[in-house]
mmCIF file of all heavy atoms in Angstrom:
data_model
loop_
_atom_site.group_PDB
_atom_site.id
_atom_site.type_symbol
_atom_site.label_atom_id
_atom_site.label_comp_id
_atom_site.label_asym_id
_atom_site.label_seq_id
_atom_site.Cartn_x
_atom_site.Cartn_y
_atom_site.Cartn_z
ATOM 1 N N GLU U 25 -5.153 -3.074 -4.577
ATOM 2 C CA GLU U 25 -5.155 -4.190 -5.376
ATOM 3 C C GLU U 25 -3.727 -4.571 -5.915
ATOM 4 O O GLU U 25 -3.564 -5.526 -6.615
ATOM 5 C CB GLU U 25 -6.091 -3.983 -6.606
ATOM 6 C CG GLU U 25 -7.529 -3.882 -6.164
ATOM 7 C CD GLU U 25 -8.453 -3.529 -7.316
ATOM 8 O OE1 GLU U 25 -8.025 -3.394 -8.506
ATOM 9 O OE2 GLU U 25 -9.657 -3.317 -7.029
ATOM 10 N N ASP U 26 -2.742 -3.795 -5.601
ATOM 11 C CA ASP U 26 -1.397 -4.021 -6.053
ATOM 12 C C ASP U 26 -0.699 -5.085 -5.184
ATOM 13 O O ASP U 26 -0.500 -4.882 -4.023
ATOM 14 C CB ASP U 26 -0.583 -2.749 -5.989
ATOM 15 C CG ASP U 26 0.786 -2.783 -6.643
ATOM 16 O OD1 ASP U 26 1.381 -3.910 -6.552
ATOM 17 O OD2 ASP U 26 1.242 -1.815 -7.177
ATOM 18 N N PRO U 27 -0.335 -6.251 -5.813
ATOM 19 C CA PRO U 27 0.271 -7.358 -5.030
ATOM 20 C C PRO U 27 1.602 -6.976 -4.443
ATOM 21 O O PRO U 27 2.060 -7.570 -3.442
ATOM 22 C CB PRO U 27 0.376 -8.489 -6.035
ATOM 23 C CG PRO U 27 0.292 -7.857 -7.386
ATOM 24 C CD PRO U 27 -0.496 -6.593 -7.217
ATOM 25 N N ASP U 28 2.296 -5.986 -5.000
ATOM 26 C CA ASP U 28 3.619 -5.573 -4.426
ATOM 27 C C ASP U 28 3.420 -4.783 -3.138
ATOM 28 O O ASP U 28 4.496 -4.416 -2.503
ATOM 29 C CB ASP U 28 4.369 -4.755 -5.445
ATOM 30 C CG ASP U 28 4.821 -5.568 -6.625
ATOM 31 O OD1 ASP U 28 5.052 -6.793 -6.462
ATOM 32 O OD2 ASP U 28 4.979 -5.038 -7.717
ATOM 33 N N LEU U 29 2.194 -4.437 -2.760
ATOM 34 C CA LEU U 29 1.943 -3.644 -1.566
ATOM 35 C C LEU U 29 1.345 -4.417 -0.459
ATOM 36 O O LEU U 29 0.722 -3.851 0.442
ATOM 37 C CB LEU U 29 1.101 -2.456 -1.940
ATOM 38 C CG LEU U 29 1.728 -1.540 -3.020
ATOM 39 C CD1 LEU U 29 0.795 -0.398 -3.402
ATOM 40 C CD2 LEU U 29 3.120 -0.961 -2.643
ATOM 41 N N ARG U 30 1.527 -5.708 -0.435
ATOM 42 C CA ARG U 30 0.926 -6.588 0.597
ATOM 43 C C ARG U 30 1.409 -6.150 1.998
ATOM 44 O O ARG U 30 0.712 -6.365 2.972
ATOM 45 C CB ARG U 30 1.248 -8.033 0.349
ATOM 46 C CG ARG U 30 0.494 -8.625 -0.862
ATOM 47 C CD ARG U 30 0.863 -10.075 -0.964
ATOM 48 N NE ARG U 30 2.302 -10.374 -0.993
ATOM 49 C CZ ARG U 30 3.018 -10.444 -2.118
ATOM 50 N NH1 ARG U 30 2.476 -10.249 -3.258
ATOM 51 N NH2 ARG U 30 4.338 -10.625 -2.101
ATOM 52 N N ASN U 31 2.611 -5.674 2.070
ATOM 53 C CA ASN U 31 3.209 -5.363 3.414
ATOM 54 C C ASN U 31 3.024 -3.942 3.871
ATOM 55 O O ASN U 31 3.637 -3.494 4.755
ATOM 56 C CB ASN U 31 4.662 -5.763 3.399
ATOM 57 C CG ASN U 31 4.971 -7.154 3.200
ATOM 58 O OD1 ASN U 31 4.230 -7.953 3.708
ATOM 59 N ND2 ASN U 31 5.979 -7.498 2.463
ATOM 60 N N VAL U 32 2.045 -3.248 3.228
ATOM 61 C CA VAL U 32 1.754 -1.892 3.517
ATOM 62 C C VAL U 32 0.433 -1.816 4.194
ATOM 63 O O VAL U 32 -0.534 -2.460 3.748
ATOM 64 C CB VAL U 32 1.831 -0.977 2.277
ATOM 65 C CG1 VAL U 32 1.478 0.422 2.606
ATOM 66 C CG2 VAL U 32 3.137 -1.041 1.613
ATOM 67 N N ILE U 61 11.594 -1.060 0.800
ATOM 68 C CA ILE U 61 11.216 -1.628 -0.521
ATOM 69 C C ILE U 61 9.752 -1.429 -0.704
ATOM 70 O O ILE U 61 9.288 -1.041 -1.758
ATOM 71 C CB ILE U 61 11.685 -3.101 -0.673
ATOM 72 C CG1 ILE U 61 13.215 -3.023 -0.808
ATOM 73 C CG2 ILE U 61 11.042 -3.711 -1.935
ATOM 74 C CD1 ILE U 61 13.829 -4.450 -0.953
ATOM 75 N N ALA U 62 8.967 -1.796 0.303
ATOM 76 C CA ALA U 62 7.496 -1.667 0.229
ATOM 77 C C ALA U 62 7.114 -0.188 0.026
ATOM 78 O O ALA U 62 6.260 0.169 -0.808
ATOM 79 C CB ALA U 62 6.806 -2.236 1.448
ATOM 80 N N ASN U 65 7.858 0.746 -3.504
ATOM 81 C CA ASN U 65 6.846 0.176 -4.429
ATOM 82 C C ASN U 65 5.522 1.004 -4.312
ATOM 83 O O ASN U 65 4.845 1.242 -5.348
ATOM 84 C CB ASN U 65 6.511 -1.278 -4.019
ATOM 85 C CG ASN U 65 7.632 -2.208 -4.416
ATOM 86 O OD1 ASN U 65 8.462 -1.950 -5.278
ATOM 87 N ND2 ASN U 65 7.664 -3.405 -3.773
ATOM 88 N N LEU U 66 5.230 1.552 -3.174
ATOM 89 C CA LEU U 66 4.067 2.398 -3.010
ATOM 90 C C LEU U 66 4.235 3.702 -3.785
ATOM 91 O O LEU U 66 3.390 4.157 -4.545
ATOM 92 C CB LEU U 66 3.824 2.757 -1.543
ATOM 93 C CG LEU U 66 2.726 3.756 -1.178
ATOM 94 C CD1 LEU U 66 1.367 3.322 -1.704
ATOM 95 C CD2 LEU U 66 2.689 4.004 0.310
#
Side-chain angles (χ1 to χ4, degrees):
E25 294 175 4
D26 189 324
D28 291 332
L29 302 177
R30 290 183 305 270
N31 296 323
V32 178
I61 290 177
N65 288 340
L66 174 59

